[in-house]
Amino acid sequence: MAAAAAVVTPSGLEDGVSRSRGEGAGEVVVERGPGAAYHMFVVMEDLVEKLKLLRYEEELLRKNNLKPPSRHYFALPTNPGEQFYMFCTLAAWLINKAGHLFEQPQEYDDPNATISNILSELRSFGRTADFPPSKLKSGYGEHVCYVLDCLAEEALKYIGFTWKRPAYPVEELEEETVPEDDAELTLTKVDEEFVEEETDNEENFIDLNVLKAQTYRLDMNESAKQEDILESTTDAAEWSLEVERVLPQLKVTIRTDNKDWRVHVDQMHQHKSGIESALKETKGFLDKLHNEISRTLEKIGSREKYINNQLEHLVQEYRAAQAQLSEARERYQQGNGGVTERTRLLSERLW
């Protein structure tokens, strides 16, 4: 039976692959797992963090006027030419950062030679590259991410970068204060509340005799007021002025609701009347314009017929001249071919 085991190749590209060996032939078949297609995204994000630790923005991008790559720049195809140039530039800078001298590649250099030089420097660091160099020519993919990640690790090793333990801040403990419990009731508090309730009940008590006297006085006052109203002492001029002043405030305005169907019907009638009135004015202008355009087209058609009739014999002469010219060109080509052939024969005889 075939046995499968999860392995990782030296290049680090086959993350989550399995190998199976056949019974008779002894062949090894490498099968990639479902997460291998997304492994280069993880490698690319790690590469961006390592480049930030190496201060590539200050030392490389600003000096060469380059834009900082995104977190998935070398994982997805966007512009192969630009990506390949960025790959070569980053690789050369990382090799120099790792302590090896490497010339910065130019735009018109041979890409195959540049790739072979980068891979040779990668192997000199003790890293393996068991893939064809043509995989790096596209400028993106898992192999490009792998090469740059290995070079970034070597550069970090060369500068002596190490991770330090995190320093956690010390939190100061606040003194706990015991709140007073308001739920505890003493006997004195209960007595005080009972006395307050008795005083409130005494204030709310109403005498019926006093209430009758108050209602009697109110009735007498209202009757006196009604008798006074019968004899008005108001000036008519002042009354009219007051009415004119208050009249604008007494107008009742009903706000129309746009959702009411009656409002929509009124708007439709208004638009219809406006369209009909505008159509009466514009219809005459449109008819006039139509008549002018039709007359102009008739004139143009008659002029075309007249010009064609006048120039018909000239067109025929032009066609005949074209035919004669084509015949003369054919005879010239034939004669020229004979002259060249005779010239070749003459030169052969002379030599």
Side-chain angles (χ1 to χ4, degrees), residues 334-346:
Q334 292 177 0
N336 191 14
V339 170
T340 55
E341 182 66 24
R342 289 183 179 85
T343 304
R344 185 181 62 78
L345 293 173
L346 179 61

Side-chain angles (χ1 to χ4, degrees), residues 43 54 140 192 199 201 206 226 241 244 316:
V43 176
L54 292 170
Y140 66 91
E192 290 175 358
T199 54
N201 293 331
I206 298 173
Q226 290 177 0
L241 290 174
E244 290 179 358
Q316 292 178 357

